[in-house]
Amino acid sequence: MDIFSSLHLSRRRLIGAAVALPFTASVVRAADPSLSFDLYGKFGVLGLEFSDKVKRLAGQEISMKGFMAPPLKAEAQFFVLTEVPMSLCPFCSSDADWPDNIVVVYLLEKQTFVQPRQTIEVRGRLEYGSWTDPETGFVSLLRIRQAEYFSV
Amino acid sequence: MRTFLAAFAATTILAGAAQATTVYPLDRATILAGSPFDFKVELNKQVKPEDVKIMVNGQDYRTVLGGEAQFVELEKGKDDKALGSALLLRGLKISAPGAYKVEVAAGDETKSVTWNVYETAGQPKAKNIIFLLGDGLSVAHRTAARIMSKGMTEGKANGRLNMDDLDHLAFIGTSATNAVATDSANTMSALMTGHKTAVNALGVYADRTPASLDDPRVETFGEAVRRTTKKSIGIVATAEVEDATPAAVVSHTRSRNDKADIVGMLLDVKPEVLLGGGSAYFLGKEVAGSKRKDNQDYIKLFQDAGYKLVTDKNELAANASAEGNLLGLFHTGNMDVTLDREFLKKGTVDKFPNQPGLVAMTKIALDRLSKNPDGFFLMVEGSSIDKMSHPLDWDRAVVETIEFDQAIGVAREFQKAHPDTLIVVTGDHTHGVSIIGTVDDEKPGTEMREKVGTYAEAGFPNYKDENGDGYPDKIDVSRRLFLSANNGPDHYETFRPKLDGPFVPAVQNEKKEYVANEQYKDVPGAVFVQGNLPKSSESGVHAVDDVVLQSAGPGSEEFHGYLEQSDVYRVLADTFALGAKQTN
């Protein structure tokens, strides 16, 4: 990410720059609550229910560790964060589906995609509720918006 | 003979031409008399309607086929690529059996195909058909299931599987219209329509336009049973009910991935019993866990159509003999496999702890369907033999085969009391797997490959079934069957059952190549196995080998020798007399 390319330096960008410094990074990391992939409080044939923690953190800045699924399109502004490295590309294989516990990540700005096996930490604002991506038609129920990520 | 070879060569050359004019149904199609189908002609060039001449058995097609085809001046492909003109006539029927030669001429383009329209026996041979499909069921799966379940002493099996005693047998060819290899959609579609089709297609011929829901249709067995009989229809699977095999009983789409649409197609035909996984496609998109892109609530639509809904094995048992239609959905996705569900409690069993198995679902389906005095058609799929064979998880695949065989046992019990029932057991395709011996932990050394016993070194495995449930009491015994795949991605062979959950042999890297999953690298004795498939392959693939079909009951004598999977349909149709001369 070229942080000097624009005069507009958002808070996120400043954090991005700060992450480069190990000392500051640990301070920043401690600031936002982290979310794990235990996203649901209840499972059922007639639907799942998000956990109290997910509901409580909605609207807040959070951090979350996971893996980047093979991107939908190279130029997409979003990717799917998964708990384990995706062994299958749901759009390549004829009978594979996304797992239930995925989080869609909308990037504040484009970043270089990383290896799906690389653990990443995503930071951004948590949002839940059904949303259909206008460009791709991809429907998601849980998202991190204005996000950025780095390898951990 | 020479003439025949010359004709064969000519056909082969034509078939290989890049952009031959195409007529659907394809050449050599077999069509049930009176069964509705769509007729489509795809021309390579854009022509005027008056330039197209179509003759059927020497007469204008309108006279013989009884309708005028819609002329499409220009069909477009991806990125608006011009494809040529087309003609389409939907839902036509041919009642009189015989050969129908269709000749198309448009400018310099010509094409000729011949269809064989067949009638069936005038009277049904059986009142009921139970069609049991082991997805991916290969010879190695059944041999392993027999040895694991029954044991073997001095080279003779200590017992027989239920499928071992089905008396009529045929070898079934499984290839697709567009490839020598196949998938479950194409092959189940052929079994359920009598027409071969392309990989991923269900109940349609795969045409050249990108839309997946407008391809030329053929009638499914579910629809044919509805059209010509008062029989009930049942569909039971451990996969999602909108997965390829259950979907093929009723569906029409070029893409098996149209699962949200397939739910609607299931509702159109309204099978009296529908049991399996896949509730995610029944839930509107606002509901967490939904996989729909719209807000249609198909749970409610099914309930409005008179279905009783059950969501776990207790509710299912409580509705064993109730009246009315039954919708049983037991998982948002595919149901867990027997080894995880009943024994290891791995996979997603903690989230869906009360799933019924295939045996319970088959029993209850038979209880309810057999109330219809006119009989029934029941399709039962052992879905996960395939789903566990793709990731080379042979222990799970074999345990699934044992469960499938127990469901066959339920069908055989039913047949004893109701001898007017035809039972058909087959696979839809095979996997590249064989048993080559055993793995013996007692052999010296730490290298696991040195513990592989072949020929006389193999001895016999030491599975036990002391509780007599048909399943080995322990899967990780000290001397195990060794099944090996002849194809796969890069992976680590651990020579051991995967007790922590289904095997994930390979994962994708940033170059979109599948590489060996390092999770298994440090399992003691694991060896790296270099893949022999393209690096885009994440798992083992289906084999082109014939599958074995076995059958018992009235009508079963028609299964013998070699048959294409599309010929199986004809036997089913004949058994129910679906193509008998219509009197009205």
Side-chain angles (χ1 to χ4, degrees):
Chain A
M1 181 168 65
D2 177 9
I3 60 163
F4 302 109
S5 63
S6 159
L7 286 174
H8 173 73
L9 286 179
S10 68
R11 174 178 165 262
R12 294 251 133 249
R13 282 188 165 201
L14 288 171
I15 291 171
V19 164
L21 306 167
F23 173 73
T24 340
S26 62
V27 173
V28 172
R29 240 175 242 157
D32 292 341
S34 68
L35 185 63
S36 73
F37 274 92
D38 293 327
L39 302 173
Y40 299 100
K42 229 175 93 186
F43 285 85
V45 166
L46 300 180
L48 281 46
E49 202 178 295
F50 285 117
S51 66
D52 291 342
K53 187 172 184 186
V54 167
K55 291 177 190 167
R56 197 172 65 242
L57 292 179
Q60 295 186 36
E61 300 284 331
I62 59 133
S63 72
M64 190 164 185
K65 282 182 189 168
F67 298 87
M68 185 186 288
L72 217 56
K73 303 200 284 190
E75 69 273 23
Q77 278 283 349
F78 74 86
F79 65 87
V80 174
L81 190 72
T82 60
E83 183 178 18
V84 291
M86 282 296 288
S87 59
L88 302 170
C89 161
F91 293 88
C92 309
S93 176
S94 56
D95 58 356
D97 264 329
W98 289 103
D100 291 322
N101 60 344
I102 59 166
V103 180
V104 168
V105 177
Y106 277 91
L107 294 170
L108 188 68
E109 57 187 55
K110 280 183 190 173
Q111 286 184 254
T112 317
F113 287 115
V114 298
Q115 273 205 37
R117 282 178 298 163
Q118 170 72 51
T119 306
I120 58 172
E121 182 166 331
V122 178
R123 314 170 62 79
R125 184 169 49 79
L126 185 69
E127 175 183 288
Y128 82 93
S130 183
W131 163 260
T132 306
D133 185 73
E135 263 185 58
T136 59
F138 193 85
V139 179
S140 60
L141 287 153
L142 197 62
R143 289 163 301 284
I144 302 176
R145 287 200 184 267
Q146 292 170 298
E148 61 181 4
Y149 67 86
F150 47 90
S151 302
V152 291
Chain B
M1 187 66 184
R2 196 172 290 167
T3 323
F4 170 76
L5 284 176
F8 180 74
T11 317
T12 310
I13 291 160
L14 280 175
Q19 283 193 320
T21 309
T22 310
V23 175
Y24 301 110
L26 295 170
D27 190 30
R28 301 186 293 163
T30 52
I31 302 171
L32 176 67
S35 164
F37 66 95
D38 295 347
F39 167 56
K40 188 181 183 196
V41 176
E42 292 180 343
L43 300 166
N44 295 328
K45 292 180 187 152
Q46 190 172 347
V47 297
K48 292 182 188 130
E50 58 268 27
D51 295 340
V52 184
K53 190 177 163 194
I54 303 174
M55 305 293 280
V56 178
N57 286 350
Q59 298 181 63
D60 184 90
Y61 79 95
R62 297 172 188 88
T63 316
V64 186
L65 303 182
E68 168 111 26
Q70 175 203 349
F71 180 76
V72 183
E73 194 177 342
L74 182 64
E75 286 195 324
K76 288 182 176 172
K78 263 189 187 166
D79 305 321
D80 274 351
K81 187 185 171 208
L83 299 173
S85 301
L87 288 99
L88 180 64
L89 175 54
R90 292 205 184 266
L92 68 96
K93 290 180 184 180
I94 301 178
S95 304
Y100 287 78
K101 187 175 184 186
V102 182
E103 294 171 283
V104 176
D108 57 357
E109 287 186 51
T110 60
K111 176 77 179 180
S112 167
V113 303
T114 300
W115 306 327
N116 175 24
V117 176
Y118 60 89
E119 60 184 348
T120 62
Q123 294 299 319
K125 297 176 180 178
K127 179 176 157 188
N128 314 306
I129 296 177
I130 308 174
F131 189 92
L132 298 117
L133 191 289
D135 200 312
L137 182 69
S138 314
V139 171
H141 290 123
R142 64 186 289 160
T143 309
R146 188 185 305 114
I147 296 172
M148 221 185 244
S149 167
K150 311 291 177 189
M152 178 176 272
T153 307
E154 295 175 344
K156 287 190 178 178
N158 297 339
R160 297 168 69 82
L161 297 172
N162 293 304
M163 66 177 98
D164 289 334
D165 293 322
L166 294 160
D167 39 16
H168 292 274
L169 182 142
F171 276 82
I172 308 294
T174 65
S175 294
T177 53
N178 61 338
V180 67
T182 188
D183 80 320
S184 296
N186 157 70
T187 197
M188 186 60 170
S189 181
L191 291 164
M192 288 292 111
T193 68
H195 295 259
K196 288 213 175 207
T197 187
V199 173
N200 290 334
L202 293 165
V204 296
Y205 279 99
D207 74 8
R208 64 186 173 183
T209 59
S212 60
L213 294 169
D214 69 348
D215 294 35
R217 294 182 167 202
V218 290
E219 188 180 44
T220 62
F221 196 68
E223 291 166 334
V225 167
R226 275 281 178 268
R227 177 173 59 81
T228 60
T229 78
K230 292 178 180 162
K231 294 179 190 295
S232 294
I233 298 168
I235 300 174
V236 172
T238 54
E240 299 169 305
V241 293
E242 55 286 301
D243 196 25
T245 305
V249 180
V250 301
S251 304
H252 303 277
T253 168
R254 171 67 181 90
S255 170
R256 58 186 284 174
N257 294 333
D258 290 337
K259 293 182 190 174
D261 301 286
I262 288 168
V263 173
M265 296 177 199
L266 285 161
L267 183 60
D268 289 344
V269 175
K270 296 185 183 57
E272 280 74 3
V273 175
L274 178 59
L275 306 176
S279 65
Y281 289 96
F282 285 69
L283 307 172
K285 69 175 180 181
E286 305 284 343
V287 180
S290 163
K291 292 196 193 293
R292 293 193 71 83
K293 293 186 175 190
D294 60 32
N295 260 326
Q296 286 283 10
D297 178 356
Y298 270 92
I299 298 283
K300 185 167 186 307
L301 290 172
F302 270 83
Q303 285 173 325
D304 289 350
Y307 279 81
K308 165 85 181 174
L309 173 74
V310 295
T311 60
D312 66 28
K313 70 175 168 192
N314 300 346
E315 288 178 14
L316 179 67
N319 280 277
S321 55
E323 299 286 338
N325 292 355
L326 181 65
L327 173 65
L329 296 171
F330 308 107
H331 200 291
T332 48
N334 295 316
M335 292 167 69
D336 282 290
V337 298
T338 315
L339 186 60
D340 290 320
R341 202 181 62 238
E342 301 296 334
F343 302 101
L344 301 177
K345 306 296 175 192
K346 297 289 182 181
T348 56
V349 172
D350 58 332
K351 293 165 185 159
F352 299 93
N354 211 9
Q355 303 167 54
L358 194 66
V359 175
M361 291 197 289
T362 304
K363 267 187 191 152
I364 286 164
L366 286 171
D367 284 348
R368 296 185 64 119
L369 294 169
S370 59
K371 288 176 185 292
N372 184 341
D374 285 304
F376 63 85
F377 170 70
L378 171 62
M379 194 291 293
V380 176
E381 184 197 23
S383 315
S384 295
I385 301 169
D386 174 76
K387 293 191 189 304
M388 291 295 112
S389 296
H390 277 292
L392 320 178
D393 194 326
W394 304 120
D395 294 285
R396 281 181 174 75
V398 173
V399 172
E400 287 307 283
T401 310
I402 296 172
E403 184 191 50
F404 177 61
D405 190 65
Q406 293 191 353
I408 297 167
V410 171
R412 292 287 273 169
E413 281 301 310
F414 181 87
Q415 192 185 38
K416 274 185 200 160
H418 304 84
D420 48 359
T421 302
L422 170 68
I423 293 178
V424 180
V425 174
T426 189
D428 50 355
H429 56 76
T430 52
H431 276 272
V433 57
S434 282
I435 308 166
I436 57 151
T438 59
V439 179
D440 187 350
D441 289 337
E442 306 300 320
K443 283 193 165 75
T446 53
E447 277 195 71
M448 288 303 289
R449 64 181 291 184
E450 298 302 329
K451 297 174 191 286
V452 172
T454 60
Y455 302 109
E457 296 300 316
F460 297 99
N462 55 358
Y463 301 103
K464 280 185 186 152
D465 177 19
E466 287 181 349
N467 65 7
D469 65 355
Y471 296 101
D473 300 333
K474 213 175 126 176
I475 204 86
D476 53 332
V477 292
S478 62
R479 198 164 56 249
R480 310 173 286 276
L481 280 180
F482 186 56
L483 278 74
S484 185
N486 62 21
N487 71 87
D490 286 3
H491 65 280
Y492 289 96
E493 172 59 77
T494 67
F495 303 92
R496 289 186 173 91
K498 310 298 183 285
L499 299 179
D500 293 333
F503 189 33
V504 180
V507 295
Q508 208 180 51
N509 68 12
E510 74 281 5
K511 288 184 262 176
K512 290 195 169 283
E513 296 167 344
Y514 281 92
V515 295
N517 188 347
E518 298 206 344
Q519 189 187 330
Y520 304 94
K521 189 179 178 179
D522 299 325
V523 175
V527 297
F528 176 77
V529 179
Q530 179 151 10
N532 56 5
L533 296 176
K535 289 175 183 168
S536 55
S537 306
E538 80 281 3
S539 65
V541 296
H542 301 169
V544 180
D545 312 1
D546 294 348
V547 296
V548 176
L549 180 148
Q550 286 178 277
S551 185
S556 61
E557 64 284 353
E558 293 187 51
F559 292 114
H560 52 81
Y562 173 82
L563 297 170
E564 300 290 342
Q565 83 277 65
S566 48
D567 299 332
V568 172
Y569 180 89
R570 187 166 175 169
V571 181
L572 302 180
D574 204 45
T575 302
F576 273 173
L578 300 184
K581 280 200 183 77
Q582 308 289 309
T583 48
N584 51 356

